[in-house]
Amino acid sequence: MKTRSTVFAATVAAIVLAASFVMIVSDDSSASDPVFSGYYYNQLNTDEKAVYDKLESLDLNSTPIQSDVVGGATYYHITVSLTMSSAGSSDVVLKEVRNAWLATKMVDPMAWWAWSYDDPAAAIPSVDVSSSTVSFKIMMTKQYAEGGATALKGMVTDTAAAIDAAVSGFDFSSTASTADKIKAINSYLCGSDFKYDPAVSSGSGDKCPYNGTVYGAFVNTGADGKHILVCSGYAAAFQAICDKLGIPCLTVFGTAAGSSSNDLHAWNIVILESKVYGVDVTFDATGKDSTAYLCVGAYTVNNGVTFSQSHQPFVSNNTDDLYMGGFVSYDLEDSGYPWPAEDGGIVVKLTEFAPWIVIGLICALLAYVLYSIGKKGEQ
């Protein structure tokens, strides 16, 4: 009798210990959660932050669009001036200004009006440095500027209203999860209302001047009524909706195998259930599987290569690079997000309760082993 009591006590203790061990191992709450707020901004130096803050505070109502005629051609721009606490040489300041400009492009989709030139060297060709005062021009294409600041301000207002309307159209239920929302955004942007700019994919014809912006994604359309985009436009649109829904999201610039424009590419990263995943709406919208690049991990394989191999963020500080910022992007999870089965049946239930099923099996096995040992001890 005493032996049986001992075995029973040992079995209970083993069950408790096994359950505690599994729960501790599976609990990652001790790890610090990723935070996107201020992520790129905090990588800027003091002078770059001053430029970034200035760009974000620009009011088109009080910032006139100017024009210069050079060689018979008209060039448009706005002029920005600010004080830098430690302005260095013109070359150093020029790189700092371009870095700050690039940071706004990765963080704030609504700053699209300053991006009519994708190339930082074309957008901000030079700077003037006088003591601690720095001034520079942000160049604008004709389509952005010819109506003047008032017209451009109206385009910005129309874009904000169109984004709000798009977000309202989702009509998520109160029980919709963040994963549900991310999936719905991706599906929306992969829909028939959007298309990749055919002039870019074919290398011929006139490109849509707004294809890399939220104005192109939500307001401007082509002759067929579709919104014409390229990768930066898809990424900006995805981030704009995520921002409205409170989903942590950033845009990443880099290179991607299979993209257009000499492999230059833009995609997004999101925080979902305290983990960072990659989202490439462009590849989903133009590929055979519209969810192949939805919340993927670094080692998610598509077309024979992992995401970390096919998508490489710009990390160089070489001033010859097109995007010379050298911003560090978040490391992704190794594996993609574990989407539940679509049927909502037994597979989903097993997935939801997998940790407890494992605990139960381990405990049952330990109980059987200890019981068998006890039986032998009685013989």
Side-chain angles (χ1 to χ4, degrees), residues 177 179 272-273 277 294-297 300 335-340:
S177 66
L272 175 56
E273 297 176 8
Y277 298 101
L294 177 61
C295 294
V296 296
T300 299
S335 302
Y337 180 74
W339 296 101

Side-chain angles (χ1 to χ4, degrees), residues 114-203:
W115 311 338
S116 56
Y117 288 95
D118 280 336
D119 182 350
I124 305 172
S126 62
V127 295
D128 292 322
V129 181
S130 177
S131 185
S132 60
T133 301
V134 174
S135 62
F136 57 92
K137 296 177 180 179
I138 298 179
M139 306 304 295
M140 292 183 171
T141 57
K142 175 182 177 181
Q143 293 87 348
Y144 284 61
E146 63 181 349
T150 301
L152 186 57
K153 180 70 173 180
M155 293 165 68
V156 172
T157 301
D158 291 344
T159 302
I163 293 173
D164 287 339
V167 171
S168 298
F170 285 107
D171 193 25
F172 291 115
S173 69
S174 58
T175 59
S177 66
T178 299
D180 293 333
K181 295 175 182 178
I182 291 174
K183 192 172 186 178
I185 299 168
N186 184 77
S187 178
Y188 168 71
L189 293 173
C190 290
S192 59
D193 289 338
F194 305 87
K195 70 177 183 180
Y196 194 87
D197 193 333
V200 175
S201 56
S202 67

Side-chain angles (χ1 to χ4, degrees), residues 61-376:
N61 288 325
S62 57
T63 306
I65 296 177
Q66 301 164 306
S67 62
D68 299 317
V69 178
V70 180
T74 302
Y75 297 89
Y76 300 90
H77 67 271
I78 62 172
T79 300
V80 180
S81 297
L82 72 153
T83 299
M84 282 188 173
S85 60
S86 56
S89 66
S90 295
D91 289 343
V92 171
V93 172
L94 179 58
K95 182 177 179 181
E96 291 175 332
V97 169
R98 289 173 177 172
N99 283 353
W101 175 86
L102 178 58
T104 66
K105 190 168 184 176
M106 294 191 294
V107 173
D108 183 7
M110 288 306 296
W112 62 268
W113 55 269
W115 311 338
S116 56
Y117 288 95
D118 280 336
D119 182 350
I124 305 172
S126 62
V127 295
D128 292 322
V129 181
S130 177
S131 185
S132 60
T133 301
V134 174
S135 62
F136 57 92
K137 296 177 180 179
I138 298 179
M139 306 304 295
M140 292 183 171
T141 57
K142 175 182 177 181
Q143 293 87 348
Y144 284 61
E146 63 181 349
T150 301
L152 186 57
K153 180 70 173 180
M155 293 165 68
V156 172
T157 301
D158 291 344
T159 302
I163 293 173
D164 287 339
V167 171
S168 298
F170 285 107
D171 193 25
F172 291 115
S173 69
S174 58
T175 59
S177 66
T178 299
D180 293 333
K181 295 175 182 178
I182 291 174
K183 192 172 186 178
I185 299 168
N186 184 77
S187 178
Y188 168 71
L189 293 173
C190 290
S192 59
D193 289 338
F194 305 87
K195 70 177 183 180
Y196 194 87
D197 193 333
V200 175
S201 56
S202 67
S204 62
D206 295 328
K207 300 176 184 178
C208 173
Y210 310 109
N211 60 19
T213 71
V214 286
Y215 181 76
F218 297 101
V219 179
N220 185 72
T221 59
D224 58 1
K226 296 180 182 293
H227 299 284
I228 304 171
L229 302 174
V230 291
C231 58
S232 53
Y234 279 110
F238 182 85
Q239 182 173 345
I241 298 177
C242 284
D243 288 348
K244 286 289 183 179
L245 294 175
I247 300 171
C249 177
L250 289 175
T251 295
V252 181
F253 289 115
T255 60
S259 63
S260 300
S261 303
N262 298 320
D263 291 334
L264 298 177
H265 197 50
W267 61 95
N268 301 98
I269 55 176
V270 295
I271 297 176
L272 175 56
E273 297 176 8
S274 299
K275 296 179 180 179
V276 180
Y277 298 101
V279 178
D280 191 334
V281 183
T282 306
F283 278 21
D284 279 347
T286 57
K288 295 180 179 179
D289 182 353
S290 62
T291 60
Y293 292 87
L294 177 61
C295 294
V296 296
Y299 299 115
T300 299
V301 177
N302 278 300
N303 299 318
V305 295
T306 65
F307 190 78
S308 62
Q309 291 172 326
S310 63
H311 291 64
Q312 299 185 8
F314 287 116
V315 295
S316 173
N317 279 310
N318 187 334
T319 55
D320 293 329
D321 286 345
L322 176 61
Y323 292 111
M324 72 297 292
F327 293 95
V328 177
S329 183
Y330 254 105
D331 290 332
L332 303 182
E333 287 294 305
D334 288 347
S335 302
Y337 180 74
W339 296 101
E342 293 290 344
D343 60 7
I346 187 64
V347 175
V348 174
K349 296 303 180 185
L350 288 175
T351 301
E352 292 176 352
F353 295 102
W356 299 107
I357 293 173
V358 172
I359 291 173
L361 291 174
I362 292 175
C363 292
L365 179 61
L366 285 172
Y368 174 77
V369 170
L370 291 172
Y371 177 76
S372 299
I373 293 173
K375 289 287 288 182
K376 289 182 179 180

